[in-house]
Amino acid sequence: MFHCIQNFDKNVDVSWRGVSLRMYDSTCGAAASGQCGKAQPDGDAAPPREPPQAPLEQDYSGFDIVKATQYGAFLRVKELIEAGWDVNQPDRETVTLLHWAAINNRREIIQYLLAKGARVDAVGGELQSTPLHWATRQGHLEATVLLIRAGADPSLRDAEGCACLHLAAQFGHTAVVAYLVARGVSPDEADAGGMTPLMWSCWKVSAVDPTRLLLTLGASTHPTDCSHGNTALHWAILARNTTAISTLILYGDASLDVPNLRGVSPLMMLQSSADSLWVGAKVSDKIKEHTLASTKRHFLRRLTYDKKFRWWCVVVMPFMAFYLTGLVLEMEALYVVKAFLLVCFYALLHFISNILFDDELKNIFPLSVYLATKAWFYITWVVFIWGAVGWAPSLLFVLSSGALWFTFLRSWRSDPGVITASKQDKFKTIVALSEGGGGFEPARFCSACLLRRPLRSKHCSVCNRCVAKFDHHCPWVANCIGAKNHQYFIGFLASLVVMCVWMLWGGAAALTQRCARDDEAALLERALAAAGCDAWLVWVMLNAAFHLFWVSVLLCCQLYLVVCLGMTTNEQLNRGRYRHFQSRGGRSPFSRGPLLNAADFFQCGLCGLLPRRTRDWAAADDCDPMLPDHHV
């Protein structure tokens, strides 16, 4: 591996809103010459490599104090200052040493200069900026932390009227934005032109952050700037910033009707671009929904965008689809005709669902399918099966389904282990991570919820929340499966398997009683004969058999992961990304063997025979996950 040698002859000119600032950085000499990491042609033997040379020691003795500060030559800076150099003496550009140290993130020099009495809010340069302005513009979180802790004032404005938060927002430095707000800077603070940090982010940054971050921190979408009267949404549309537009409309509750000084609202700007490729599908739906809701014309079109109407369509459609499919199967017609009608019917349903359902409704559609299927199971049992099997089996069917509904409701409506924190707690976490030196490591910090992630937790993109001991998001119960409802989910799967077995047994008993039986016929002939005798009952049994198959597979997979491997579904799929799994070769550091894993999960110690391990997985802690046990 080649060593990177600092190229001290390279100057990098950085343009800051028309002002050129000289900044120094380190580069790899091999990369600069086009040789770093160059691949060998196929078929050619690579030449023998020379032993790596020791890194060259740079001679700083000829550097003046400004150049030594820029290059991070701490010993040279210390030598010159102890020889009598005034740390607050500006250079010919009226820039102090602290400015140069801040823009180059020279942390050791910053600490030394501050200890020697450097003015933390010294003003210099053509834009009359402070060292904190220079550090935040470059996104140097470490330098920003040192200056803030030394008493730097983040509310000071430069010559163009920008405070530090505005610079960090317009250059997309999310970590610096979070730290400044957590330290007390208002996320709605306007610059000299009335531009808020959110406006700058929407105008300049195409990534989701810091726009989403500012909204999470409490930034308002309502302020307008002084020159144009534009809101943040106006600026996002002018920049054709699709990400910012979606974030503001879908998650920031930005108004579409606020006019600017020219009388143009965001809705008017978007209506002319609703069919353009750069406007997302979700935003287009919101535009149409908002437009049609405000007019009395086009009743049918308004109905397709009415939230209540679409919600009831999601609820009713699976019930009707199940019933109409059974009616078609019971028709006295050729199987080819029935198949054609069913294909046309489901094509129509697919077309209607694409028109009516957005992503939110599609997420709850599987839940509606489950409820519709179970409802028809009960109706079928009462109408067709009860009389064939009698009271005792029917009573047992009802009692066993009681366990199904209890575990289903607990899986559906209970808290899966959502990790919550107050705004002050979030600010404390941001400050602690920033000042602790570790930064915002994605594995331990959620940038969407602004929370320190406990072990085994994950942010659910569907529910937009962090869940402790996250297993997966289940569309069939429309909820996350996590630390507080995983046991109920396992019980729900087991109860559903029992119910499907009951349905198949009861359906077979009813068919035996209602239909003539020919034991010598082939299996296919008997199936066709049963379908001709009672197509509805066969249709219900097919659904029960299908549910029995996939639920049994899911239940076995869940039990294998929980009991045998001691890990969640999320960990099994993403264990290559987690450090504590990588160090164990992909094995779970939380597993204690099948028996103890089962005792931990089901909280059953067999009257004290098995030692149980309890832990609050929602509590953030910094314990080493490699340890075999963490008792709480």
Side-chain angles (χ1 to χ4, degrees):
M1 180 176 181
F2 294 103
H3 289 276
C4 284
I5 303 174
Q6 288 186 325
N7 180 6
F8 292 100
D9 295 327
K10 183 174 180 180
N11 300 341
V12 182
D13 291 329
V14 180
S15 178
W16 183 356
R17 303 197 302 276
V19 178
S20 178
L21 296 175
R22 177 167 294 177
M23 192 176 69
Y24 298 83
D25 205 347
S26 302
T27 58
C28 179
S33 62
Q35 302 299 319
C36 188
K38 187 175 181 180
Q40 294 291 333
D42 293 339
D44 293 341
R49 292 187 176 181
E50 296 292 335
Q53 297 180 356
L56 298 179
E57 297 262 345
Q58 178 66 29
D59 182 12
Y60 299 104
S61 59
F63 284 12
D64 60 40
I65 194 167
V66 172
K67 191 171 183 180
T69 302
Q70 293 166 337
Y71 280 111
F74 173 71
L75 294 179
R76 178 60 176 166
V77 171
K78 184 177 180 181
E79 175 188 349
L80 293 173
I81 291 177
E82 290 182 352
W85 186 274
D86 182 3
V87 294
N88 290 309
Q89 180 180 341
D91 61 12
R92 63 179 181 273
E93 298 176 7
T94 71
V95 178
T96 68
L97 296 178
L98 194 57
H99 282 86
W100 289 120
I103 200 172
N104 288 283
N105 203 29
R106 307 302 184 188
R107 291 163 289 177
E108 190 177 19
I109 297 178
I110 292 174
Q111 291 174 315
Y112 179 74
L113 294 175
L114 292 172
K116 289 297 182 179
R119 291 195 299 271
V120 70
D121 286 329
V123 175
E126 295 185 26
L127 288 179
Q128 297 296 292
S129 306
T130 66
L132 187 59
H133 282 102
W134 286 34
T136 53
R137 179 194 179 275
Q138 291 303 125
H140 295 321
L141 179 61
E142 299 89 345
T144 300
V145 168
L146 291 174
L147 294 170
I148 289 289
R149 296 183 72 176
D153 186 357
S155 65
L156 295 179
R157 310 295 181 89
D158 61 14
E160 293 189 343
C162 286
C164 296
L165 184 58
H166 304 115
L167 298 177
Q170 64 182 278
F171 287 101
H173 302 312
T174 303
V176 177
V177 170
Y179 180 68
L180 291 175
V181 175
R183 292 285 292 187
V185 179
S186 171
D188 290 324
E189 180 182 4
D191 63 10
M195 294 283 288
T196 65
L198 185 61
M199 295 179 193
W200 276 117
S201 176
C202 294
W203 173 242
K204 290 288 187 179
V205 184
S206 59
V208 66
D209 285 324
T211 299
R212 180 184 62 178
L213 171 73
L214 286 165
L215 292 173
T216 305
L217 292 172
S220 174
T221 59
H222 304 305
T224 58
D225 69 276
C226 302
S227 302
H228 308 281
N230 288 337
T231 63
L233 185 54
H234 282 96
W235 285 109
I237 298 171
L238 287 171
R240 293 203 168 192
N241 191 341
T242 307
T243 303
I245 294 171
S246 301
T247 304
L248 291 172
I249 293 179
L250 302 178
Y251 307 107
D253 196 26
S255 175
L256 291 166
D257 299 320
V258 178
N260 58 16
L261 296 181
R262 296 188 296 112
V264 180
S265 68
L267 181 62
M268 297 168 63
M269 298 171 68
L270 286 170
Q271 282 175 331
S272 60
S273 306
D275 296 327
S276 301
L277 295 177
W278 63 274
V279 178
K282 293 182 180 180
V283 175
S284 297
D285 289 341
K286 285 287 184 180
I287 296 170
K288 294 175 183 177
E289 180 181 340
H290 187 85
T291 303
L292 295 173
S294 60
T295 179
K296 295 182 179 180
R297 295 177 298 172
H298 308 294
F299 171 76
L300 292 178
R301 291 186 62 193
R302 284 195 299 115
L303 195 62
T304 60
Y305 286 93
D306 183 82
K307 291 183 178 180
K308 289 185 178 179
F309 174 76
R310 290 187 295 164
W311 186 87
W312 278 109
C313 286
V314 172
V315 174
V316 173
M317 186 177 292
F319 286 87
M320 297 302 299
F322 194 104
Y323 177 68
L324 291 177
T325 301
L327 289 183
V328 171
L329 293 175
E330 285 194 321
M331 292 175 54
E332 293 184 359
L334 297 175
Y335 287 110
V336 175
V337 175
K338 294 180 181 181
F340 175 75
L341 291 177
L342 289 176
V343 169
C344 294
F345 174 60
Y346 280 96
L348 178 62
L349 289 181
H350 180 72
F351 174 75
I352 294 175
S353 63
N354 284 337
I355 295 177
L356 296 179
F357 300 168
D358 54 20
D359 288 347
E360 181 180 355
L361 293 176
K362 287 179 181 178
N363 286 332
I364 66 172
F365 184 73
L367 174 62
S368 298
V369 173
Y370 164 77
L371 293 174
T373 304
K374 300 307 164 290
W376 285 114
F377 278 8
Y378 284 114
I379 295 173
T380 302
W381 188 281
V382 172
V383 176
F384 295 93
I385 300 177
W386 193 316
V389 300
W391 280 91
S394 298
L395 182 60
L396 291 175
F397 172 76
V398 172
L399 291 177
S400 63
S401 66
L404 170 66
W405 282 102
F406 172 76
T407 54
F408 166 72
L409 291 174
R410 295 292 292 180
S411 301
W412 174 29
R413 304 302 299 172
S414 65
D415 175 17
V418 179
I419 306 168
T420 59
S422 65
K423 180 180 287 188
Q424 293 303 317
D425 289 337
K426 293 179 180 180
F427 285 174
K428 289 179 182 178
T429 298
I430 293 172
V431 171
L433 291 175
S434 300
E435 297 181 354
F440 300 95
E441 183 185 355
R444 300 307 304 274
F445 180 78
C446 177
S447 61
C449 300
L450 304 182
L451 295 168
R452 189 192 297 267
R453 281 180 174 169
L455 286 171
R456 313 188 78 176
S457 65
K458 188 179 183 296
H459 184 85
C460 177
S461 59
V462 178
C463 300
N464 194 30
R465 58 189 182 180
C466 284
V467 177
K469 200 182 177 186
F470 179 85
D471 189 82
H472 70 288
H473 180 91
C474 180
W476 300 101
V477 298
N479 196 7
C480 298
I481 305 303
K484 294 185 178 180
N485 68 346
H486 200 172
Q487 296 129 319
Y488 295 112
F489 180 71
I490 295 291
F492 163 67
L493 295 179
S495 302
L496 188 54
V497 168
V498 172
M499 183 185 190
C500 292
V501 171
W502 270 110
M503 282 301 304
L504 290 173
W505 176 83
L511 284 175
T512 301
Q513 186 181 82
R514 295 166 62 92
C515 305
R517 183 175 176 180
D518 186 1
D519 294 334
E520 296 181 357
L523 179 62
L524 179 60
E525 294 179 355
R526 281 187 286 172
L528 293 176
C533 174
D534 197 326
W536 174 265
L537 198 54
V538 173
W539 164 239
V540 173
M541 291 177 65
L542 286 174
N543 277 272
F546 173 72
H547 279 68
L548 177 63
F549 171 74
W550 75 262
V551 174
S552 298
V553 172
L554 180 56
L555 177 61
C556 292
C557 291
Q558 283 282 305
L559 290 175
Y560 175 72
L561 288 173
V562 169
V563 176
C564 299
L565 301 183
M567 64 176 65
T568 64
T569 303
N570 171 62
E571 290 169 341
Q572 195 273 335
L573 295 174
N574 300 297
R575 53 187 169 180
R577 297 166 48 191
Y578 299 134
R579 181 178 62 88
H580 44 286
F581 279 87
Q582 293 172 355
S583 62
R584 294 278 187 112
R587 293 180 292 110
S588 174
F590 310 104
S591 177
R592 301 197 298 162
L595 284 178
L596 294 181
N597 287 342
D600 294 340
F601 181 78
F602 294 104
Q603 291 297 292
C604 177
L606 293 180
C607 300
L609 296 178
L610 295 177
R612 291 180 297 167
R613 178 180 59 178
T614 59
R615 182 170 184 174
D616 183 8
W617 292 106
D621 66 80
D622 294 323
C623 294
D624 188 356
M626 314 309 175
L627 296 177
D629 280 309
H630 299 303
H631 296 277
V632 177

